[in-house]
C-alpha cells in the first residue's frame, strides 16, 4: 500500500509518498481499494502536531474516502467484496488501500460518484451531529449558522432545513445564494438582526464554525435558554466565553468533535451519515461537486486550503 505520510510536524510540504506492507485483515475488518480522498482543514491541524488525538506512526493524515471493498473478515456481515463504500476515520485516509473496522464504512448510493462520496462523511456527519445529536434541534426552531459558505456550513444549512428548522446563515462575503437559507445576514449587528427576525426572542440554536470574535455575537443572538454548538475555529482563533453570561441567561455551550466520534463512538457518527444519505436519496440534501486533483497534487491542494484559495471542496482522484 502507498500512503502520504509526514516524518515531522509542519505543513503540507512535510507529506511524502511511503510504501508500506499491506496490513493483515483482523476480526471485524474490511479492506478497501481507495478511489478518492476528501481533503479538510482539520488535516492541517493533524500535520501541525496540535491535533487532539494521538498521531499514528507513520503520521498519515485524513478523515474521509471512498472506494471498493476487496476483502472482508469472516465475522463481518452486511459488507461484501465489490461493494462501493465511503469511510470515516480519525487518521489514515491518505492512502490507496485501507484496512479498517467494518463499522467505519457504509454503502455509497448508486447515483453518487466516487469523488462526491469521498467528500460526504466529514461535512454531513459534522452537520448532523452538531445540530441534531448535540444541539437537539427540533422542527420549527430557529438556527443561525456561521461559516455558511464553507463545506460544513453549506451541509449544515441543508441538514437543518431537512430537519424542519428555520435557517439563518451568517455570510461575511455576501456570496451565498439567496436560496441557501431562509434568511442571510452579515456578521455586523448580528444580535440586533436576529432579534428583529424573531420578534425579540433570538435564535434557539447557533452553530459556530468560525470562532473568534463572532462567537460573542452568536451568544448575544441566542434566545433565553438557547444553545450554542462549537464545532471548529475556521477564523483561526479560539474564543473566550464568559461563564457569567452563560449562567445569567441560562444558555448552553456545547462541543462537537467529529474526530472524537470517529475514534470513540463511530456508531453514532455512522447513524448520522445514514440519515443524511436517506435525505440525499430523497433530494433533501445536495453535496457540492468537489474539485478533482491527482494524488501527486495532494500537498499543493492541501496548501491551498491553508491559504484560503481552495475555492470549494477538494478531492483526490486516485484514478487520475
Amino acid at each position: 500500500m502507498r500512503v502520504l505520510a509526514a516524518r515531522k510536524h509542519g505543513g503540507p510540504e512535510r507529506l511524502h509518498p511511503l510504501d508500506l506492507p499491506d496490513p493483515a485483515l483482523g476480526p471485524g475488518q474490511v479492506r478497501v481499494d481507495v478511489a478518492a480522498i476528501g481533503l479538510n482543514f482539520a488535516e492541517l491541524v493533524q500535520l501541525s502536531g496540535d491535533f487532539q488525538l494521538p498521531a499514528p506512526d507513520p503520521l498519515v493524515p485524513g478523515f474521509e474516502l471512498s472506494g471498493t471493498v476487496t476483502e472482508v473478515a469472516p465475522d463481518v456481515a452486511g459488507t461484501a467484496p465489490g461493494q462501493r463504500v465511503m469511510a470515516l476515520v480519525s487518521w489514515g485516509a491518505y492512502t490507496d488501500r485501507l484496512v479498517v473496522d467494518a463499522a467505519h464504512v457504509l454503502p455509497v448510493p448508486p447515483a453518487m460518484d466516487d469523488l462526491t462520496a469521498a467528500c460526504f462523511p466529514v461535512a454531513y456527519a459534522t452537520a448532523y451531529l452538531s445540530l441534531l445529536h448535540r444541539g437537539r434541534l427540533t422542527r420549527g426552531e430557529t438556527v443561525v449558522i456561521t461559516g455558511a459558505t464553507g463545506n460544513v456550513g453549506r451541509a449544515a444549512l441543508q441538514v437543518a432545513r431537512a430537519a424542519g428548522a428555520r435557517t439563518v446563515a451568517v455570510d461575511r462575503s455576501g456570496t451565498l445564494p439567496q436560496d441557501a437559507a431562509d434568511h442571510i445576514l452579515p456578521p455586523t449587528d448580528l444580535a440586533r438582526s436576529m432579534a428583529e427576525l424573531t420578534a425579540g426572542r433570538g435564535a434557539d440554536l447557533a452553530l459556530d464554525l468560525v470562532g473568534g470574535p463572532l462567537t460573542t455575537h452568536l451568544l448575544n443572538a441566542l434566545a433565553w435558554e438557547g444553545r450554542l454548538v462549537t464545532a471548529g475555529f475556521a477564523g483561526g482563533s479560539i474564543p473566550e466565553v464568559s461563564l457569567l453570561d452563560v449562567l445569567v441567561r441560562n444558555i448552553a455551550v456545547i462541543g462537537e468533535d467529529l474526530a472524537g466520534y470517529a475514534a470513540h463512538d463511530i456508531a453514532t457518527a455512522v447513524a448520522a451519515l445514514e440519515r443524511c444519505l436517506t435525505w440525499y436519496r430523497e433530494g433533501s440534501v445536495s453535496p457540492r461537486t468537489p474539485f478533482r486533483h491527482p494524488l501527486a497534487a495532494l500537498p499543493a491542494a492541501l496548501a491551498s486550503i491553508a491559504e484560503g484559495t481552495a475555492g470549494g471542496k477538494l478531492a483526490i482522484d486516485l484514478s487520475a
Side-chain angles (χ1 to χ4, degrees), residues 111-289:
M112 184 181 287
D113 64 80
D114 289 334
L115 266 69
T116 301
C119 296
F120 194 90
V122 166
Y124 283 91
T126 299
Y128 188 100
L129 292 171
S130 297
L131 294 171
L132 290 129
H133 181 68
R134 298 291 287 149
R136 304 298 180 187
L137 182 66
T138 60
R139 180 173 295 276
E141 286 193 313
T142 298
V143 57
V144 56
I145 297 170
T146 62
T149 58
N151 299 308
V152 176
R154 186 178 185 275
L157 289 170
Q158 295 178 5
V159 167
R161 271 188 167 171
R166 181 191 189 193
T167 55
V168 181
V170 180
D171 179 15
R172 187 187 307 273
S173 66
T175 60
L176 198 66
Q178 287 301 308
D179 61 355
D182 296 315
H183 305 278
I184 299 176
L185 299 175
T188 54
D189 294 325
L190 182 59
R192 177 184 59 80
S193 298
M194 282 301 307
E196 291 174 354
L197 279 180
T198 58
R201 171 177 166 75
D204 300 291
L205 178 67
L207 174 55
D208 186 8
L209 301 170
V210 175
L214 189 55
T215 302
T216 299
H217 298 296
L218 281 176
L219 289 169
N220 291 336
L222 285 177
W224 169 264
E225 292 191 333
R227 297 97 66 199
L228 181 143
V229 176
T230 176
F233 310 110
S237 62
I238 300 175
E240 295 184 1
V241 174
S242 168
L243 291 183
L244 179 61
D245 290 342
V246 172
L247 184 151
V248 300
R249 295 175 57 213
N250 285 281
I251 57 180
V253 178
I254 305 161
E256 188 281 331
D257 172 34
L258 181 61
Y261 283 100
H264 303 298
D265 187 7
I266 190 61
T268 295
V270 167
L273 283 172
E274 287 173 338
R275 184 67 183 112
C276 291
L277 285 169
T278 297
W279 281 329
Y280 168 81
R281 287 187 287 267
E282 295 170 350
S284 299
V285 304
S286 177
R288 62 169 52 175
T289 301

